[in-house]
C-alpha cells in the first residue's frame, strides 16, 4: 500500500502544474485524500483535501487557484495548480485516510495514515 506522486517540476510565475497522486495496492474509494506542502524553513501546510463524501477543501492561500479532483476509477487524485507564484514553491506530498474528514479536521496531518514520498514544485519569478 503506497502513494506515488508525479507531475512536479519548475514553472514560471503565473504558470500551471498538475500533480497526481496514484494509489498502489488499493483504491481511494471511501478514502479522504489530501495534499500538503512544506517550503524550506517552514512548517508543513495543508493545501487541499477531497473527502470521501466528495467535498473539496482548500486552504485560504490556494482557494480559487487550485482544484482537487479524482478519476473515475478512484485510483488517482489530481491537484491542478494555476496562477502559481514563488510562494507556492515547496515539496508537495499527498496523504490518505480510509475515512471521512470534515471542515475542522481535513488539515490536520495526524489524521492521515498513508503518505507519499513528496515531489518538488518550484515557481520562479
Amino acid at each position: 500500500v503506497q502513494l506515488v506522486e508525479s507531475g512536479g517540476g519548475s514553472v514560471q510565475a503565473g504558470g500551471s502544474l498538475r500533480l497526481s497522486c496514484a494509489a498502489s495496492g488499493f483504491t481511494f474509494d471511501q478514502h479522504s485524500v489530501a495534499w500538503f506542502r512544506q517550503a524550506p524553513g517552514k512548517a508543513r501546510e495543508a493545501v487541499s483535501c477531497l473527502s470521501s463524501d466528495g467535498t473539496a477543501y482548500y486552504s485560504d492561500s490556494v482557494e480559487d487557484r487550485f482544484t482537487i479532483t479524482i478519476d473515475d476509477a478512484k485510483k488517482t487524485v489530481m491537484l491542478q495548480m494555476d496562477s502559481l507564484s514563488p510562494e507556492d514553491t515547496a515539496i508537495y506530498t499527498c496523504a490518505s485516510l480510509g475515512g471521512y474528514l470534515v471542515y475542522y479536521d481535513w488539515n490536520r496531518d495526524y489524521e492521515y495514515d498513508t503518505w507519499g514520498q513528496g515531489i518538488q514544485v518550484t515557481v520562479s519569478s
Side-chain angles (χ1 to χ4, degrees):
V1 174
Q2 61 178 351
L3 303 177
V4 181
E5 299 101 337
S6 62
S10 298
V11 66
Q12 289 193 326
S16 299
L17 283 174
R18 190 187 197 197
L19 303 183
S20 293
C21 174
S24 178
F26 71 110
T27 73
F28 288 134
D29 188 35
Q30 298 184 14
H31 280 67
S32 296
V33 184
W35 286 94
F36 289 78
R37 68 185 182 186
Q38 187 165 21
K42 294 188 177 181
R44 183 158 58 190
E45 171 192 17
V47 174
S48 179
C49 170
L50 188 63
S51 186
S52 59
D53 70 345
T55 302
Y57 299 98
Y58 300 95
S59 67
D60 289 344
S61 61
V62 307
E63 183 84 54
D64 298 327
R65 298 189 299 121
F66 290 11
T67 305
I68 191 169
T69 57
I70 191 168
D71 68 348
D72 290 343
K74 297 192 183 295
K75 290 284 290 182
T76 304
V77 167
M78 289 72 71
L79 185 69
Q80 178 66 38
M81 305 187 296
D82 299 320
S83 302
L84 286 163
S85 72
E87 289 69 35
D88 296 312
T89 295
I91 294 175
Y92 285 70
T93 307
C94 66
S96 70
L97 169 72
Y100 174 62
L101 292 172
V102 294
Y103 69 94
Y104 57 78
D105 59 7
W106 72 269
N107 56 352
R108 300 172 181 172
D109 56 5
Y110 56 80
E111 296 285 355
Y112 299 87
D113 57 17
T114 304
W115 290 79
Q117 291 298 309
I119 193 165
Q120 179 69 46
V121 170
T122 302
V123 185
S124 58
S125 57

